[in-house]
Amino acid sequence: MTSTITPDTSATAVISVEEQQFNDLIEADSRIEPRDWMPEGYRKSLVRQISQHAHSEIIGMQPESNWITRAPSLKRKAILIAKVQDEAGHGLYLYSAAQTLGATRDDMTDALIAGKARYSSIFNYPTPSWADMGSIGWLVDGAAICNQVPLCRASYGPYGRAMVRICKEESFHQRQGFEILLELMAGTEEQRQMAQDSVNRWYWPALMMFGPPDDDSPNSAQSMAWKIKRHSNDELRQRFVNMLVPQAAVLGVTLPDPDLHFNEETQQWDLGEIDWTEFHEVLAGRGPNNAQRLQRRRDAHEDGRWVREAASAYARKQSERSEMAAS
Amino acid sequence: MSNSTVNSDSAEADAPAATPEDAHGHVAVDVTTLDAELIEGPSFATPDVAEYALWLGDDSLILAQQLGAWISRAPELEEDVALGNVALDLIGHARSLLHYAGTASDRTEDDLAYWRTEPDFRSLHLVEQPNGDFAHTIARQFIVAHYLFELYSRLRASADATLAAIAAKAVKEVDYHRDHSTQWVLRLAQGTDESRRRMITAFSDLWPYVEEVFRDDPLIDRLEGIAVRPSSLLPAFDAAIAPVLAEAELEVPCGFVASGGGRTGKHSEHLAFLLAEMQVLTRAHPGASW
C-alpha cells in the first residue's frame, strides 16, 4: 500500500493466508465450512440471509394454517397439515444452519418477535379463500423454488445442504398447489371464480418475491461475488414468468398482466410494470397483515414460555439426578 | 404413518421413495392415499361393524381436528412438528375407519365427515374437550393415546380383517403418541411450580370424561370377537398410566363423572362449534369436489 511495495505484490501483501485460502475456495466453487476462516462481512451477510429465510418459513406457516381446520376434504386437510409441518421443519434446519455461524436461536427468535428481523413480505398478505392454498403453492412456492434452487450451490456448506432438502419438499408443495387450482378450475363456476380471484391477488406479490430490480438491489453484488447468490433478481423473475405462462394455460387461469406478451426477439415473456410502491409499503410494515403475523408469533412464544421453562427445569433436574446417581 | 408417508431424505426431487419406516416428521404431501387393503379389498362393513368403525373414526377425526388448530401456535417449533404428526396419524386412522364405515351405506369418508350433523356423530366427550392450554392438550393426549394403544393392540386380533388391518397399522403410531404425551406429563408435572399447577388442573378438568371411554354400549354385545369391549381395557389402561403418574407424583383425580352419551349422539356443547368450522366450506358448495 505504500510506495515501497511494488503494485504487483500489493494484493498479496495485505491479504492474510486465511483470506487467501477463503478466496481460493470461493474461486474454485468449493464449499466454506463452519470451521473455516471467513470474512466478517460474509458471516454477517449469511446470518442475515439464512435467518430471514428461517423466519419466512415460520411466519409462512400462518397464512396456510388459517385453513387447516376448514380444509374441504380429509385428504386436503392431511396434505395441508403435512405441508405446514414441512415449513416448521425448514425453519428448524435453517435456524440450525445459522447457528453454525454463531447466531443463537433465542436471539433470532427475539429479533423476529420484536419486529427487528425481516421475513418475506409475501406472508403479510391474507388468505381469505381456500383457493389461496392453491395460489400459495403454485405461485409463492414456485417463486421460492426459482430463488432457492440456485442456493443449493451456495458457497456456505450448511446452507447449501439445507437448501437441497428444502427444495425437494418445495417442489411437492408447488405441485400440490397447482393441483388444488386444477381441481377448482375443473369444478363449479363459483370454484373457478375462487381460483381466478386468488391468482389475481397473488400473482404480483409473487413476482415481487424476487426482490427489487437489479439496479436497485443494494446487497446483490457482494452476495454474487461471494457466490452466496448465483443469479440476479431480474433474471430469476424472468425465468419464473417464462415457466408460469404455459402452466397458466393448462390451468385455464388468466395472469393479471394486460401487458404480458411474448418477445420474438428475446424469446422471453415481457412483463408489465411492477408496482414497487406496494412492495415498499408492505416492506415498511404497511401491508395487510404485518401486525397480525407478528402478533401471532409473539403470542405463541409468550403463551408457550411456561412450557419451555418447565422443559428446561425438568431437564436440569434430571441431569442433577443422574450426576448424583453417578457420584 | 406408514402408508401415508415417505422419508424425504431418500426422496428424489420428482419422485417420492417408498421407505415407510421412521417417517415421523417427513410426510410427503403428495402421498396421502388410503391403505391398499381399503381401496382394493372387496370388504363391506355390516351395519353394526359400520357403526363401530364410526365410533373409532369419529374419535380420531375430532381429535385430529383439534390438534390441527395448534399448528403455528405451539410452545416451540418442535411441538408444531410433533403435534402435526399426531394430527396426521389420527386423520389417517379416521380416513380408513370412515371409509370402511361408509361401505355399509355407500357414503365416502368425506360424506361422513362433512355432511353428517351433530346427532349423527359418535365421538366421545373426551376428544370434544377444547385444546385449553398446552397442559390440557397433553392431558387429553395422554389419556386418549394410552386408551387407543390398548384398544388397537387387541383389535389387531379382530375377526373383521379390515378392522384388524387398520389396528395393526394404527397401534405403532399411537405407541409414539403415548410416548410423546408421557414425556410431556413428566416434564410439566415436575418442571416448574406453574407447570405442575397447570398439569394438575388439566387432569382434574379432563378426568370426568374418562369413565365414558370404558363404557360398554349395547352395540358391543352384538360384535363379539369383532369389537373390543371397552370395559375390558380398563385394567391395562390403569396399569399403564400408574407408573407414569407415580413418577410424576400425580394422583388420579376424583370428583365429577360426566354422563357422556357420545356413542348415542348426545354431545358436549363444544362439538357443534367444532363441526361448524370443519364443515363450513364444504357445505357452502354442495356437490363440488376439491
Side-chain angles (χ1 to χ4, degrees):
Chain A
M1 305 288 279
T2 67
S3 57
T4 57
I5 296 172
T6 62
D8 277 350
T9 55
S10 65
T12 51
V14 292
I15 282 183
S16 66
V17 177
E18 293 100 328
E19 188 165 4
Q20 190 56 51
Q21 278 170 348
F22 173 85
N23 289 345
D24 291 347
L25 284 170
I26 295 284
E27 188 57 36
D29 261 341
S30 193
R31 298 274 207 198
I32 308 298
E33 294 299 335
R35 275 174 298 177
D36 292 338
W37 182 91
M38 60 189 84
E40 208 38 44
Y42 177 85
R43 183 186 299 275
K44 271 193 186 150
S45 184
L46 274 168
V47 168
R48 180 181 59 84
Q49 183 170 338
I50 299 172
S51 62
Q52 282 180 11
H53 189 168
H55 297 329
S56 302
E57 296 282 355
I58 300 312
I59 297 290
M61 293 166 70
Q62 291 183 32
E64 291 176 289
S65 69
N66 185 32
W67 281 92
I68 287 176
T69 55
R70 296 175 293 165
S73 74
L74 296 185
K75 180 183 151 195
R76 292 284 175 211
K77 191 190 289 286
I79 291 172
L80 189 59
I81 291 176
K83 179 173 190 274
V84 180
Q85 190 198 34
D86 276 352
E87 284 153 10
H90 296 174
L92 286 171
Y93 314 148
L94 288 163
Y95 282 130
S96 303
Q99 284 168 318
T100 65
L101 292 158
T104 71
R105 190 156 144 198
D106 283 348
D107 287 347
M108 290 185 278
T109 304
D110 289 346
L112 175 62
I113 61 178
K116 289 179 192 153
R118 290 239 157 113
Y119 57 85
S120 180
S121 281
I122 193 83
F123 301 116
N124 290 321
Y125 289 87
T127 51
S129 94
W130 168 253
D132 296 334
M133 301 304 98
S135 295
I136 288 183
W138 181 46
L139 297 172
V140 176
D141 294 332
I145 292 168
C146 286
N147 265 329
Q148 291 171 3
V149 165
L151 294 176
C152 298
R153 296 192 294 127
S155 56
Y156 187 59
Y159 190 32
R161 287 188 291 271
M163 291 314 305
V164 170
R165 181 160 183 179
I166 289 170
C167 285
K168 284 177 183 171
E169 294 179 351
E170 290 293 350
S171 76
F172 291 143
H173 295 177
Q174 196 208 8
R175 278 196 327 209
Q176 68 84 35
F178 184 83
E179 207 216 329
I180 286 175
L181 292 175
L182 198 60
E183 186 92 41
L184 291 174
M185 290 305 289
T188 65
E189 184 51 33
E190 275 178 309
Q191 285 178 304
R192 281 194 292 277
Q193 270 176 18
M194 191 191 283
Q196 181 65 56
D197 167 69
S198 174
V199 169
N200 291 350
R201 283 183 288 108
W202 289 95
Y203 176 75
W204 290 109
L207 294 193
M208 295 179 204
M209 285 174 69
F210 295 94
D214 294 346
D215 49 22
D216 186 27
S217 179
N219 297 315
S220 285
Q222 181 62 73
S223 287
M224 285 179 73
W226 276 331
K227 295 186 180 172
I228 296 172
K229 193 171 168 153
R230 301 265 179 172
H231 304 278
S232 79
N233 295 351
D234 287 332
E235 259 172 60
L236 290 169
R237 188 166 16 243
Q238 184 64 56
R239 196 182 284 191
F240 179 58
V241 173
N242 291 346
M243 186 187 86
L244 283 187
V245 173
Q247 293 178 355
V250 173
L251 285 173
V253 296
T254 307
L255 296 175
D257 177 0
D259 296 327
L260 186 68
H261 67 276
F262 192 69
N263 183 328
E264 290 294 343
E265 210 171 295
T266 60
Q267 295 289 302
Q268 311 249 37
W269 287 88
D270 288 348
L271 39 150
E273 201 66 31
I274 296 179
D275 178 9
W276 290 108
T277 329
E278 178 185 319
F279 176 80
H280 290 296
E281 280 293 291
V282 179
L283 206 60
R286 290 188 289 269
N289 287 41
N290 302 54
Q292 182 189 322
R293 298 293 184 239
L294 268 198
Q295 185 185 341
R296 161 84 74 83
R297 184 83 310 260
R298 193 188 58 229
D299 288 351
H301 190 72
E302 292 301 324
D303 293 348
R305 184 182 300 281
W306 68 271
V307 177
R308 296 189 303 274
E309 283 171 359
S312 346
Y314 179 74
R316 202 167 48 241
K317 287 177 195 170
Q318 288 298 100
S319 72
E320 280 165 14
R321 261 179 230 172
S322 56
E323 272 170 32
M324 272 167 59
S327 62
Chain B
M1 309 200 308
S2 58
N3 197 47
S4 62
T5 61
V6 296
N7 187 334
S8 310
D9 270 339
S10 54
E12 295 304 318
D14 55 356
T19 45
E21 63 273 33
D22 189 29
H24 285 293
H26 311 297
V27 180
V29 296
D30 62 343
V31 191
T32 50
T33 51
L34 290 171
D35 284 342
E37 77 270 10
L38 289 174
I39 294 168
E40 291 156 13
S43 60
F44 287 88
T46 65
D48 280 345
V49 170
E51 174 75 5
Y52 183 63
L54 219 47
W55 287 14
L56 308 187
D58 283 349
D59 288 345
S60 293
L61 174 61
I62 302 305
L63 190 55
Q65 173 72 7
Q66 307 244 45
L67 293 174
W70 268 107
I71 300 171
S72 81
R73 293 178 172 88
E76 52 192 16
L77 290 175
E78 286 81 353
E79 276 313 296
D80 281 307
V81 175
L83 293 171
N85 266 327
V86 176
L88 270 174
D89 288 344
L90 291 168
I91 287 194
H93 308 164
R95 292 183 66 198
S96 298
L97 289 159
L98 294 183
H99 173 88
Y100 189 42
T103 59
S105 51
D106 198 23
R107 286 182 288 179
T108 66
E109 59 182 65
D110 288 332
D111 291 339
L112 290 169
Y114 291 93
W115 294 96
R116 278 181 300 156
T117 50
E118 197 189 332
D120 292 330
F121 272 80
R122 292 292 175 262
S123 42
L124 293 165
H125 285 218
L126 177 63
V127 298
E128 297 170 8
Q129 297 308 304
N131 283 340
D133 67 6
F134 187 69
H136 283 84
T137 290
I138 289 300
R140 191 183 62 199
Q141 257 338 94
F142 179 78
I143 299 164
V144 173
H146 276 88
Y147 152 68
L148 287 179
F149 181 79
E150 301 304 331
L151 169 70
Y152 288 135
S153 297
R154 286 160 184 74
L155 195 62
R156 283 182 294 188
S158 171
D160 184 291
T162 305
L163 289 178
I166 294 170
K169 173 175 176 279
V171 73
K172 295 177 205 145
E173 294 166 358
V174 296
D175 192 20
Y176 162 77
H177 306 172
R178 206 167 63 136
D179 182 54
H180 170 258
S181 57
T182 296
Q183 295 307 316
W184 273 114
V185 166
L186 295 174
R187 284 186 203 117
L188 296 183
Q190 302 191 299
T192 62
D193 290 346
E194 182 184 9
S195 68
R196 180 167 179 80
R197 176 179 60 73
R198 287 178 184 256
M199 192 72 251
I200 291 169
T201 303
F203 270 120
S204 69
D205 287 348
L206 286 160
W207 215 262
Y209 308 98
V210 171
E211 195 267 346
E212 184 194 12
V213 176
F214 300 99
R215 199 181 291 169
D216 298 333
D217 283 69
L219 174 71
I220 296 298
D221 295 331
R222 303 199 298 272
L223 290 174
E224 196 61 45
I226 291 173
V228 177
R229 186 167 287 278
S231 62
S232 73
L233 299 172
L234 192 55
F237 172 83
D238 284 339
I241 65 165
V244 182
L245 297 182
E247 188 182 339
E249 297 172 50
L250 294 173
E251 281 169 19
V252 173
C254 50
F256 297 112
V257 173
S259 58
R263 300 306 192 205
T264 54
K266 293 191 207 71
H267 292 285
S268 68
E269 290 174 343
H270 309 294
L271 186 65
F273 290 97
L274 182 147
L275 294 182
E277 185 176 5
M278 184 174 82
Q279 298 175 336
V280 62
L281 175 61
T282 315
R283 286 181 173 234
H285 299 270
S289 75
W290 303 93

